[in-house]
Amino acid sequence: MSKTHWTLPIFVYVPIISYFLYLGFSNDLSLGSSALMFLLGVFVWTFAEYFMHRFVFHYEPKTAWGKRLHWLMHGVHHDYPQDANRLVLPPGLSLIFASAFFLFFYLLIPVPSLYPYFAGFLLGYLVYDIGHYAMHHFSFKSSIFKKIKLHHMKHHYVEPHEGYGVSSPLWDIIFRTKGKW
């Protein structure tokens, strides 16, 4: 289920992100408001990424079916981190999570502001998904990307209970889960 080409999320999410941006603009939301909500969505994604990785994907269930589900959702990634055919989260499962987030945000954010906000949130996810794949399979020349990759590789190979932020160490710094690296 998680064996997918790394570009598939682009083909799944770019049309969805575009549609939500279209909805925001077609509802007479100003460019400034749209941009602000979009950036807020991207920022909130970084927290959701940290929170989900730390408390959902690294939760250790007690039951046999819970352990199996956990392994399918994230454990397989830690067992085979360099598998170039395996994404961290299959697109079908990520769409279920995205739908749940949309319903949650729908309760909190008024329409039409919700539309650019959710587009930003999904773009944050897409950057995370592709960036995460790149951390495992691409070589970087940029010192910034090398540091982000090192941060994530230490999560995999040194201390799995630290370094939950993949696209940014921001929340690891705030919540003191960055470690002493």
Side-chain angles (χ1 to χ4, degrees):
M1 192 165 116
S2 64
K3 290 204 175 236
T4 304
H5 194 269
W6 70 270
T7 59
L8 184 61
I10 295 169
F11 297 111
V12 170
Y13 281 98
V14 167
I16 297 169
I17 292 165
S18 300
Y19 179 68
F20 278 106
L21 286 173
Y22 165 76
L23 287 176
F25 288 120
S26 67
N27 281 289
D28 296 325
L29 199 60
S30 74
L31 183 60
S33 294
S34 290
L36 183 63
M37 292 307 292
F38 183 85
L39 292 174
L40 181 61
V42 171
F43 179 73
V44 169
W45 163 256
T46 65
F47 178 74
E49 171 193 320
Y50 174 87
F51 183 87
M52 296 274 296
H53 192 191
R54 181 175 181 183
F55 295 108
V56 177
F57 297 138
H58 280 270
Y59 173 74
E60 296 180 19
K62 307 285 186 252
T63 65
W65 70 268
K67 289 177 183 180
R68 178 71 177 152
L69 181 62
H70 172 266
W71 186 81
L72 289 171
M73 282 178 41
H74 191 67
V76 68
H77 172 62
H78 274 268
D79 287 351
Y80 305 103
Q82 294 307 113
D83 185 344
N85 295 316
R86 192 178 303 276
L87 295 179
V88 68
L89 194 62
L93 188 55
S94 73
L95 286 169
I96 292 169
F97 278 116
S99 298
F101 273 113
F102 180 80
L103 293 173
F104 174 71
F105 295 140
Y106 181 78
L107 298 173
L108 302 175
I109 301 169
V111 171
S113 296
L114 172 63
Y115 301 138
Y117 171 87
F118 197 62
F121 187 83
L122 290 180
L123 181 66
Y125 169 74
L126 185 59
V127 167
Y128 152 79
D129 198 5
I130 294 168
H132 181 261
Y133 185 87
M135 293 301 136
H136 284 274
H137 305 291
F138 296 175
S139 295
F140 297 103
K141 298 207 186 301
S142 162
S143 63
I144 293 170
F145 286 117
K146 283 181 177 181
K147 286 179 183 176
I148 293 171
K149 181 174 183 166
L150 179 63
H151 176 77
H152 186 61
M153 291 301 113
K154 286 182 177 178
H155 169 74
H156 273 279
Y157 299 109
V158 177
E159 181 50 66
H161 298 292
E162 295 176 354
Y164 297 103
V166 176
S167 48
S168 166
L170 172 67
W171 299 107
D172 284 306
I173 293 166
I174 291 170
F175 293 118
R176 299 177 185 204
T177 53
K178 186 175 187 291
K180 293 182 171 58
W181 346 304

